[in-house]
Amino acid sequence: QVQLVESGGGLVQAGGSLRLSCAASGRTFTSYFLGWFRQGPGKEREFVAGISASGGSMSYADSVKGRFTISRDNAKNTVYLQMNSLKPEDTAVYYCAPVTTHWQARYDYWGQGTQVTVSS
């Protein structure tokens, strides 16, 4: 099972950008579809973006389309989430996780995540 560690969060003003990284351990990284999820204050965890094992297919939540870009570097065992034009409602803890081909979390296991706070 792949182990994932998120980083890159922080405090940013509305309209700003952040790039999240998710570093994976394990030789099976390249076989996994991967996704980013987030959980805002008082909200349920929600899907943000996903990418196929090869990187050739992506999916985004409607709320982030056109602003966020998911990518992966299989040589570095890392998946990224470039977040532009950030809004206060993007404030959340962001997690990466293996996903199914239907962009649902594959396992009921979550890392520590990385906090993103967007000020107005």
Side-chain angles (χ1 to χ4, degrees):
Q1 184 172 338
V2 65
Q3 302 291 325
L4 302 168
V5 178
E6 306 91 345
S7 63
L11 173 63
V12 64
Q13 289 188 330
S17 298
L18 282 173
R19 187 195 196 200
L20 306 184
S21 298
C22 177
S25 62
R27 292 176 291 178
T28 58
F29 174 82
T30 56
S31 66
Y32 282 96
F33 278 47
L34 295 170
W36 284 96
F37 296 77
R38 68 185 181 187
Q39 187 166 19
K43 299 180 181 180
E44 294 187 352
R45 186 178 287 120
E46 63 177 354
F47 172 80
V48 175
I51 189 166
S52 63
S54 67
S57 178
M58 286 80 80
S59 179
Y60 297 93
D62 288 343
S63 59
V64 306
K65 280 182 180 176
R67 300 188 298 122
F68 290 11
T69 303
I70 190 170
S71 62
R72 66 190 293 164
D73 186 337
N74 285 343
K76 295 182 178 180
N77 278 13
T78 303
V79 61
Y80 305 97
L81 186 67
Q82 177 67 44
M83 306 186 297
N84 299 327
S85 302
L86 283 162
K87 304 176 181 180
E89 51 263 42
D90 294 318
T91 295
V93 179
Y94 284 71
Y95 305 87
C96 64
V99 296
T100 68
T101 55
H102 299 287
W103 313 114
Q104 296 175 326
R106 179 176 289 274
Y107 309 111
D108 186 19
Y109 172 80
W110 303 93
Q112 64 180 14
T114 186
Q115 175 71 49
V116 172
T117 303
V118 184
S119 63
S120 58

